[in-house]
Structure formats: C-alpha cells, structure tokens
Amino acid sequence: MERLQKVLAHAGVASRRHCEELIVQGNVQVNGKVVRELGTRVDPQVDKILVNGRPIRTEQPIYLMLYKPTGVITSVSDPRGRRVVTDLLKGIKERVYPVGRLDYDTSGLLLLTNDGELANRLAHPSYEIDKVYRAWVRGVPSQDKVKKLATGIQLEDGLTSPGEAKLLKSTPTKEKALIELTIHEGRNRQVRRMCDAIGHPVITLERIRLGFLTLEGLQPGQYRPLTSTEVEKLKQGLVQNRKSRPRSR
C-alpha cells in the first residue's frame, strides 16, 4: 500500500505537489468515492483510481537520459508543430516528461521520466543538484567577471545562488571564450542571462552534466535508459544534498 499522491505522481499524472492539490480539490476518486484526505493509502494494482473521471495508467517507472540537440523544444507537444524531445524517443511506449527544461537553442543532458515525484525533486532548487554547462561566449571575461558568475549575478528576478565558474580557454584572436558554469537553480534562460549581465553574450550553450550523470557514450539526438544503480544513486544523492547543504537564500 502506498500514499495516493505518490501513486498519482508515479503514474505520471503530475508532480507530487500538484497531485496533492488535485486530491484536496476533490478531483480524485478511489473505488467510486471522492478522496480528499492526503496520505490515503491505496494499492494501484487493486484499487480503481480516477483523476478528473479518467483512470490512471499504472506504468512501470522509466528513466531516460537524452542528449538533446539544438532546434528541439523541451516539451511533449508544440502548437506550432516544431519538433519536441519526445519525438526523439523511438520505441518508448510509456508517457514520459522532461525534467526541467533546456532552451530551443541549448543542447545537452536532459532527463525524461514518468516518475513525477522524482522529477519534482530534481527540478526543485532546494535539492541543489549540480547542473554543469559549457558556453562559448563573445569576448574573454576577466577573472573578476568569472568570479562574479560564481558568487552571484543580480538579474531582474533576483540574485542568483552561488555556484562555480571557470574560464577554460579562448581563441587566439580573443573573439570568444569557453566557460564552464555550475548552477543549482533552473530559472528561465538563466545561464544566458547571467552571461549577458557581465557583457559576454552566449554563442552556444550545452549542459554537460547533471549531478553525477554525463553525456559519455551519447551523440546529439541519442538517448539511453538509466541503470537501476544510477536511479538509486540519483535518489540517494537528492536525500544527501537536502540534508547536508544549507538552503539557498
């Protein structure tokens, strides 16, 4: 027996928090009765569970790592008919959703899953999972500007949380430079806005690592399932981060 909101999240209905809202609002039925109590325990293999009148799908959890290429939308559909990340998942029958997002012009590591609870934790800044990006930027940032990227940049939606920043190399002509930036947040176009703020706009941007996961062995457009060991390590890492790191202010 599992808590109802956890079952809904694992079925891909929504994030765990949103599932709790659906329950409280009376949108969930179990065996023909509306359930509003959080923490109600159910057996998804036995109980008939409806959300907004529709039965949930009791799929097995699936975890995929995709090397997202540029020119693809991080979504499961697009009203303008552009290619979306799920178009790249040939042979995957389960309904999966991207964890967080990468911009249309950004490539790199993207996780997709039908485990709503894990997706919500991975995307939430309080768990502070490392997101490592490499960006080619115009010009060569000074060491002071690189340090500023690490300590925090004032954006229109507030000061960014501390992270890490490195200047890896620059071209002989000094027209552009490669920087590596580690952040823990997931604000809209955050890395691009941070680089704009120091006067060095991004030319190309790629996410190369998420936690301990890297793109090793994948080419743009390719994906692979996470191993059971990787999934467990990812979950354990979230728990450890929550306990050991002070929350960002």
Side-chain angles (χ1 to χ4, degrees):
M1 301 285 282
E2 296 180 286
R3 286 177 295 173
L4 179 56
Q5 57 263 45
K6 184 177 181 180
V7 171
L8 297 180
H10 281 174
V13 172
S15 70
R16 186 173 177 180
R17 180 173 296 178
H18 189 203
C19 288
E20 292 175 347
E21 294 173 356
L22 290 172
I23 295 170
V24 172
Q25 292 166 2
N27 295 320
V28 181
Q29 293 181 350
V30 178
N31 298 326
K33 296 182 180 180
V34 174
V35 175
R36 296 178 183 268
E37 295 294 325
L38 297 179
T40 298
R41 293 189 173 274
V42 296
D43 183 344
Q45 302 301 322
V46 176
D47 296 314
K48 184 178 181 181
I49 304 170
L50 305 181
V51 177
N52 294 321
R54 297 182 178 182
I56 66 170
R57 296 176 62 182
T58 55
E59 298 174 331
Q60 290 297 314
I62 182 173
Y63 308 89
L64 304 173
M65 180 170 66
L66 170 71
Y67 190 157
K68 176 194 171 299
T70 58
V72 179
I73 302 294
T74 303
S75 179
V76 297
S77 64
D78 181 62
R80 295 168 56 183
R82 294 172 294 181
R83 192 164 59 151
V84 297
V85 290
T86 49
D87 291 336
L88 303 173
L89 306 180
K90 305 302 181 183
I92 301 298
K93 297 179 180 180
E94 294 86 352
R95 295 177 301 170
V96 295
Y97 302 89
V99 178
R101 64 183 300 107
L102 290 177
D103 298 331
Y104 183 78
D105 294 325
T106 300
S107 64
L109 197 159
L110 181 71
L111 293 183
L112 298 101
T113 183
N114 57 2
D115 184 339
E117 182 176 4
L118 180 64
N120 189 48
R121 291 185 177 187
L122 286 170
H124 201 283
S126 65
Y127 287 90
E128 295 196 345
I129 186 170
D130 287 346
K131 302 170 185 177
V132 184
Y133 296 81
R134 283 190 177 174
W136 281 100
V137 299
R138 298 193 185 281
V140 182
S142 66
Q143 287 301 318
D144 284 344
K145 288 183 176 181
V146 173
K147 183 178 180 180
K148 192 173 181 181
L149 287 174
T151 56
I153 297 288
Q154 185 65 47
L155 303 176
E156 61 270 21
D157 52 355
L159 184 69
T160 61
S161 296
E164 299 176 21
K166 303 175 185 176
L167 176 61
L168 300 180
K169 62 180 178 180
S170 61
T171 58
T173 58
K174 306 298 182 183
E175 292 182 355
K176 61 181 181 178
L178 181 64
I179 62 173
E180 183 174 290
L181 186 61
T182 302
I183 63 174
H184 307 120
E185 301 172 292
R187 303 188 201 182
N188 185 39
R189 300 179 68 83
Q190 181 174 338
V191 173
R192 294 179 184 275
R193 290 191 292 142
M194 290 174 69
C195 292
D196 283 343
I198 63 168
H200 295 275
V202 167
I203 302 171
T204 63
L205 180 62
E206 181 172 76
R207 182 157 69 190
I208 63 168
R209 182 164 65 83
L210 184 65
F212 65 89
L213 297 170
T214 71
L215 291 166
E216 184 178 1
L218 293 179
Q219 295 297 318
Q222 294 182 337
Y223 69 93
R224 69 168 178 85
L226 297 186
T227 66
S228 57
T229 300
E230 288 172 330
V231 173
E232 185 60 29
K233 185 176 179 181
L234 197 59
K235 292 179 178 180
Q236 289 298 321
L238 288 172
V239 172
Q240 292 171 3
N241 282 2
R242 184 79 170 198
K243 290 180 178 179
S244 64
R245 281 180 169 169
R247 292 192 178 186
S248 301
R249 294 183 178 272

